[in-house]
Amino acid sequence: MAVRSYLAWLTLALSLFEPTCNASPVRQREAVPDSFYAAPYYPTPYGGWEDSWKESYAKAQALVGKMTLAEKTNITGGSGMFMGNSGSAYRVGLPQLCLQDGALGVGNTDHNTAFPAGITTGATFDKDLIYARAVAIGKEFRGKGANVFLGPSVGPLGRKPLSGRNWEGFGADPVLQGIAGALTIKGVQEQGVIATIKHFIGNEQEMHRMYNPFQAGYSSNIDDRTLHELYLWPFADGVHAGVGSAMTSYNAVNGSATSQNAYLINNLLKDELGFQGFVMSDWLSHLSGVASALAGLDMSMPGDTQIPLLGGRVWKSHLTEAVLNGSVPVDRLNDMATRIVAAWYQFGQDKDFPAVNFHSYVSSEKGLLYPGAVPVSPIGKVNWFVDVQADHSLVARQVAQDAITLLKNDDDFLPLSTKSSLRILGSDARVDPAGPNACGSRACNKGTLGMGWGSGVANYPYLDDPITAIKKRVEDVKLYDSNDFPSNLTPSPTDDDVAVVFINSAAGENSFTVEGNHGDRDNDKFSAWHNGDKLVQKAAEKYKNVVVVVHTVGPLILEPWIDLPPVKAVLFAHLPGQEAGESLANVLFGNVSPSGHLPYSIIQKENDLPDSVTKLVKEIIGQPQDTYSEGLYIDYRWLNKQGIKPRYAFGHGLSYTTFNYTDAHIKIVNALSSALPPARQPKPSVAVLSTEIPPASEACEPAGFSKVWRYIYSWLSKSDAEKAYAVGTSSSSSNSSSQTYPYPEGYSTVQKPGVPAGGGQGGNPALFDTILELDVTVQNTGTQHKGKASVQAYVQFPSDSGYDTPIIQLRDFAKTKELGTGESETVTLRLRRKDLSVWDTQKQNWVAPGALGVNGKSKRYIVWLGEGSDKLSTRCFSDTLVCEKGVEPPV
């Protein structure tokens, strides 16, 4: 058995309710501001029209066509909390699918790798490393028999710096998230494992995300342009990469819960983005039966109602009944089942895919087969202890090392000499004495912080901590194993001593509260945990040389100590996973130069950013409203617009060496001959299985079948099946109108031709055409150290575009190999049509405002190149194709 970490999810069920199958359709809510509305969009677009999926859909339709009604509804949901995986149709050859966390490695098992977190991976700004990590993760999931990897996470995007799960994603920018997410999908799915892009969408805070009997989950109120240009952007890149599944979020968007939001699932995801895979609910977030099916949800996980372990279900037998009584059209169920089976075929899981070989809740060889059925569950072998680590520790260490971001290095204080006298302060320097996995779901902050907490974690096979790696290199080392500054320093500090202070900041899922932080960092906020800021200040009072190492889920405010003269250097090591020690020591002692760059901005004070992103939504009477009033302006976009200088800007990162960017060139690959992309091709017709309501016998429980207590089944009793069938097939009974489902406003069963912005996976295929290509030569101009350089490309839209756009926006990035002193490398960056476009809310399409006009002239885009958003000194013009070096930066 391999399923999500239900220890985290059980806490979510304490105050949740059981909805009925015929829940009321979603309508506009009074508490939502007037300008935000989840528009109806029906019916769910069929899958299978996209060329790269056609063969899989043909196979899937053939298999689904052999299924009974109960088999189809069985595969659209899980078997229940602690019970196992998705439903199966073994009679026709479809097994249960194992859907497994976490985002940084196979969760709740053994002999796996605990990779660096997403935020750490994003800090590498290295596409090759992002991909290599994904390949290794995919191999480990496959090796454990897990069909579905519940990642990558590109939502939350990082709008709110204090949000609890930002660390699972790659950074506070849609392009960084989009590129990293797409590469992760590619690497994982090439191993035959289905990736899941999540959380769709607007899950930018942990607290109050969940619905309960007394309060709806908060509504993320997002305008159309902001939704497209920020939050939907990385999902579009993921769909373009061919992702096989998507997961909805817990919250509402514009008043409608995402798991039953037809505008989001039917319109944006399945029509505009052309998503061909299946959409699942996040665990225990499924609220309604018919309404969610009509809105485009395909799989209910884990299958229970929001109060689990009572045998209740939202779909399964209720969905069987809803199809028989005509509430859910047969073609909707067929599409749900076909999407799931098509993904199974698309990644070759019908051939030689390993069986699940581990148990998420039992560490011994034998245990309960169905833990949710305790005490009547049978016992059997559940763990085979398959080692899937291979040499993946090398990839993990490389990512952790190349993500380390040098923020400050006065007088080239780093790297340290191995002859140094080091005084190590802070418990973050060593592993938790109780063991790295002592706290379930990593829901504590004791020792070296290698990951956040919640469902996105993995078990550590070991945790290589900093103090161990430092002691391997340096003889004169003393650890003060406390977060309080020692009252009696022995020996007394000398001028040659170096104090290395370890501080951290943790966060995670709202299913746990850690030291007063309810998932989000609502208690410690922008301060280091455990009085870390005070520890640095005290160290600076006693030592003349202080180095600060920070393990953190996100940005901190460093102002209490950053300018203190003794603080010579600051390293952000982010969340390094199992390889925290050697990766850091390699940088500290100069085996390699640091090459990480910030995947977010570090502000000087909280009100440098707007309240809408720094303040967390609080509980109120009614539905909490989280209105995205800042629009497009988050992180560096806001700071640049307001002329606010951050302490350290997005993309900032120092090295032990220096680089020169020269010989930049720009060329047009495909001309922007029109502002609008070419019209999409008509959506091809697809084969459709029979839409007749099946006979009631297909829903009936087999005679003599022995059920497992609390296990969720899709069968109905013979009498219930026949009753539902009679309703569904009746066309003129006197009471038929009273038994008709109250379909939502705008409901239709007629397939739409497709929205103008669609036409392929990720949207109109032309959006992904390369328009501009830039080359720049990077030389290591230092004389002592090798190093890797980051090249980041930011676009500045035409000043007369007619649209309000951020001053600069990241559009691509590249990283050099390790360059020796004097060595050079030429890197290439590419900008697509979409990168040069804005979302026009009137045209409902992407518009390139710099395209050729009626006068035959195009407007000027400026592409800025450099090491970070605060270090851009080369610019290239799209109209003249001229590049200039050494110019005044845009911000």
Side-chain angles (χ1 to χ4, degrees), residues 22-28 42 260 288 291 294 741-745:
N22 289 329
S24 299
V26 178
R27 300 196 186 279
Q28 198 168 3
Y42 300 97
Q260 55 190 30
S288 64
L294 301 181
Y741 181 77
Y743 292 103
E745 176 187 356

Side-chain angles (χ1 to χ4, degrees), residues 807-863:
I807 297 174
I808 55 170
Q809 300 175 75
L810 180 70
R811 285 300 186 250
D812 199 9
F813 56 87
K815 202 164 192 178
T816 68
K817 66 180 182 181
E818 187 174 59
L819 301 175
T821 57
E823 190 176 1
S824 300
E825 180 181 344
T826 299
V827 301
T828 300
L829 302 104
R830 298 175 178 87
L831 275 66
R832 310 164 299 178
R833 170 181 274 272
K834 187 175 180 182
D835 297 322
L836 303 172
S837 299
V838 300
W839 179 256
D840 190 298
T841 58
Q842 297 300 314
K843 293 182 173 66
Q844 285 294 291
N845 212 332
W846 292 94
V847 175
L852 291 173
V854 292
N855 59 0
K857 295 182 178 180
S858 59
K859 296 178 180 178
R860 169 175 287 184
Y861 294 93
I862 303 175
V863 182

Side-chain angles (χ1 to χ4, degrees), residues 76 293 297-298 315 319 332-340:
T76 64
L297 192 69
D298 301 307
W315 279 357
L319 184 58
R332 175 75 271 264
L333 175 62
N334 288 339
D335 181 64
M336 294 159 68
T338 302
R339 283 175 174 271
I340 294 165

Side-chain angles (χ1 to χ4, degrees), residues 41 49-50 228 232 236 239 266-276 677-684 753-768 839 843-846:
Y41 195 92
W49 52 267
E50 202 277 331
H228 277 82
L232 188 64
V239 174
N266 287 343
N267 179 29
L268 293 184
L269 186 58
K270 291 187 174 180
D271 200 344
E272 184 179 317
L273 300 190
F275 175 63
Q276 301 295 299
R680 62 170 291 171
Q681 294 297 311
K683 187 186 294 185
V755 297
Q761 289 191 96
N764 189 320
L767 294 174
F768 301 92
W839 179 256
K843 293 182 173 66
Q844 285 294 291
N845 212 332
W846 292 94

Side-chain angles (χ1 to χ4, degrees), residues 121-283:
T121 309
T124 68
F125 279 79
D126 188 325
K127 295 176 183 177
D128 291 339
L129 268 185
I130 295 168
Y131 172 72
R133 171 182 178 267
V135 169
I137 287 174
K139 287 180 177 179
E140 296 203 2
F141 270 76
R142 182 184 180 94
K144 287 291 186 179
N147 303 84
V148 182
F149 161 59
L150 296 176
S153 173
V154 298
L157 180 71
R159 168 186 177 242
K160 294 188 175 188
L162 301 180
S163 180
R165 297 181 76 178
N166 291 346
W167 60 272
E168 295 183 37
F170 304 98
D173 181 88
V175 169
L176 178 56
Q177 288 268 24
I179 291 174
L183 287 170
T184 300
I185 290 162
K186 180 177 185 292
V188 167
Q189 293 190 160
E190 285 176 350
Q191 314 316 309
V193 174
I194 302 167
T196 305
I197 197 162
K198 65 181 188 179
H199 305 86
F200 190 70
I201 196 168
N203 189 179
E204 298 292 326
Q205 176 179 313
E206 281 299 287
M207 294 189 298
H208 315 307
R209 60 182 180 158
M210 295 289 292
Y211 280 69
N212 63 56
F214 309 104
Q215 184 181 56
Y218 65 75
S219 175
S220 294
N221 303 319
I222 317 173
D223 69 82
D224 189 28
R225 185 178 170 198
T226 298
L227 184 62
H228 277 82
E229 293 191 26
L230 290 187
Y231 303 98
L232 188 64
W233 186 292
F235 286 94
D237 282 345
V239 174
H240 186 65
V243 70
S245 65
M247 180 190 289
T248 59
S249 54
Y250 286 106
N251 55 284
V253 170
N254 296 345
S256 175
T258 64
S259 64
Q260 55 190 30
N261 191 314
Y263 180 80
L264 294 180
I265 304 175
N266 287 343
N267 179 29
L268 293 184
L269 186 58
K270 291 187 174 180
D271 200 344
E272 184 179 317
L273 300 190
F275 175 63
Q276 301 295 299
F278 62 94
V279 179
M280 71 179 79
S281 66
D282 204 340
W283 265 236

